[in-house]
Amino acid sequence: LAQRRLLVRSTRSGIAAMRGTSVSSRSPSVEVRAVAVGDKLPAATFKYFNSEGNMKEITTEQLCKGKKVVLFAVPGAFTPTCSMKHLPGFIERADEVKGKGVDVIACVSVNDAFVMDAWGKSVTAGDKVMMLADGNAQFTKALGVELDLNDKGLGIRSRRYAMLVEDSIVKVLNLEEGGAFTISSADNILEALGA
């Protein structure tokens, strides 16, 4: 699969131009690059509820060190595409995915742990898909995949993606444009795993 890179360039002069003002040509710029194949996952901490109903924390290192992990993200819990297609696809195909040597399948969303737990229960994720809350978008921002949905009243969310991670290194990345759902399904991951 082709490596996907997104460069977002934000400059003070660009902001000034939007405001109708000007700044010197020596203004600094900031480049934000989206995660790519070959990258190590950034350090982050997720919240989740375990099977006993206790809120727990897990770091990216604890989640991925020495393991093969399928990590997929959705723009929001309980939203139509996420609830009717993306998450259910991974629940339905979990045994096949894990049969290809995957240790953990985890769903990430910029929601709180209570919402992620309720959503997981509503679709019977059980022990098939770990429901991880990236409540303050720490992980999402570190990956460079944030999605501004302020105009829809949803704030900052994550672009939709599915990735295969081995020992914290991204091996396969299917990163969607915005909230599209064309290349990040469980079927796409199974294809990448050689199903």
Side-chain angles (χ1 to χ4, degrees), residues 51-187:
S51 58
E52 289 81 42
N54 299 312
M55 187 184 292
K56 299 287 187 180
E57 289 186 349
I58 190 168
T59 64
T60 49
E61 183 177 2
Q62 292 166 328
L63 181 68
C64 300
K65 188 174 183 178
K67 298 176 190 164
K68 186 184 279 191
V69 177
V70 168
L71 198 61
F72 69 99
V74 298
F78 291 106
T79 56
T81 302
C82 306
S83 293
M84 293 186 293
K85 295 179 182 176
H86 204 182
L87 176 56
F90 278 98
I91 293 168
E92 291 165 11
R93 310 288 308 264
D95 292 337
E96 291 172 74
V97 172
K98 289 181 179 178
K100 296 288 182 184
V102 171
D103 300 295
V104 178
I105 303 170
C107 176
V108 176
S109 186
V110 181
N111 287 106
D112 64 70
F114 295 98
V115 169
M116 291 299 284
D117 185 52
W119 187 35
K121 287 176 180 172
S122 77
V123 293
T124 61
D127 62 353
K128 293 183 176 192
V129 175
M130 191 174 195
M131 304 298 288
L132 300 177
D134 183 23
N136 61 5
Q138 173 193 23
F139 182 68
T140 297
K141 289 176 181 177
L143 288 179
V145 296
E146 61 266 38
L147 178 64
D148 186 340
L149 295 177
N150 280 304
D151 63 329
K152 294 179 175 47
L154 297 171
I156 299 299
R157 298 300 179 108
S158 176
R159 288 171 60 188
R160 188 183 308 280
Y161 62 80
M163 65 173 74
L164 175 63
V165 178
E166 292 183 24
D167 198 22
S168 300
I169 304 298
V170 178
K171 297 296 185 178
V172 173
L173 174 63
N174 296 339
L175 180 61
E176 303 276 8
E177 289 301 320
F181 183 57
T182 57
I183 59 170
S184 61
S185 70
D187 291 341

